[in-house]
Amino acid sequence: MNIIVWNVRGMNKVYKQKELKKFIRENKVVLIADLENRVKETKAEGIIKKIFNNWRWTANYSQAPGGRIWIAWDQTRVDFKGYEMHQQYIIGEVTERQNGNKFRFGVVYDKHTIQDRKILWEDMKKAIASATDPCVLMGDYNTILTNEDRAKGTPVQEFEVKNFKDFIWRNGLTELKTVGRKYTWTNNHVHNKIDRILVIAAWIQKWPKWKEGHCNLGSQIIVH
């Protein structure tokens, strides 16, 4: 099953809509999250129908009116039930129709300031605290974790990463190994790794092969 998280940086342009539709078809995607779509809520359904045909979808417009996260899924292959809508994430349950497998799926698109992200860590901790089924959190965390996540630029300061480290440690999360490019954001001077896939222990116990690099990391995050 191919799961995609893609920071599209705007989905109003027709060429971007065609590019995404082609990508979904060629990669046999069944579940996708679009970040930073920049589409007004009144225009969302029309654009989504062009891209996803008869797929179902949800979004966090109730928490982020500017359009931050869409999730769309092929209802013939999977079902998704969102139960936690937040301005910086959506968390819900995915069920595979063929075999009945279920897992908790969270899509993250953090804000830029440390204070905004601190709110995120506190709220998301509550959202995943009761997770016993496999749980995966994917997306653009807008922050680095270690010195190795930054090339060039200023040295990493502890205050930049402390809250993120605490969130991972306190929730028993593990970062999945990935393939593809190492850095996922650049301004042509500084290069940072800000996109990640985090899972709880139950995920690795159920799908141990996904711990060993079966994920592509780049402008898209792909889990096979």
Side-chain angles (χ1 to χ4, degrees), residues 55-131:
W55 284 25
R56 298 192 65 187
W57 69 282
T58 190
N60 66 337
Y61 281 111
S62 62
Q63 303 297 321
R68 291 180 63 82
I69 304 172
W70 289 346
I71 296 179
W73 61 96
D74 181 350
Q75 60 186 326
T76 67
R77 300 283 303 280
V78 299
D79 187 33
F80 176 77
K81 294 181 179 178
Y83 55 76
E84 182 78 22
M85 293 288 178
H86 190 279
Q87 61 179 332
Q88 298 184 76
Y89 64 79
I90 296 176
I91 294 178
E93 183 180 71
V94 176
T95 303
E96 295 184 70
R97 294 195 182 278
Q98 184 177 14
N99 53 31
N101 280 335
K102 295 184 178 183
F103 59 92
R104 196 171 296 201
F105 176 62
V107 180
V108 181
Y109 182 36
D110 287 7
K111 292 192 172 183
H112 294 279
T113 71
I114 292 175
Q115 186 58 39
D116 282 331
R117 290 196 297 270
K118 185 176 181 180
I119 295 170
L120 167 75
W121 310 136
E122 292 171 354
D123 290 349
M124 196 155 59
K125 178 183 177 181
K126 299 173 186 176
I128 67 172
S130 61

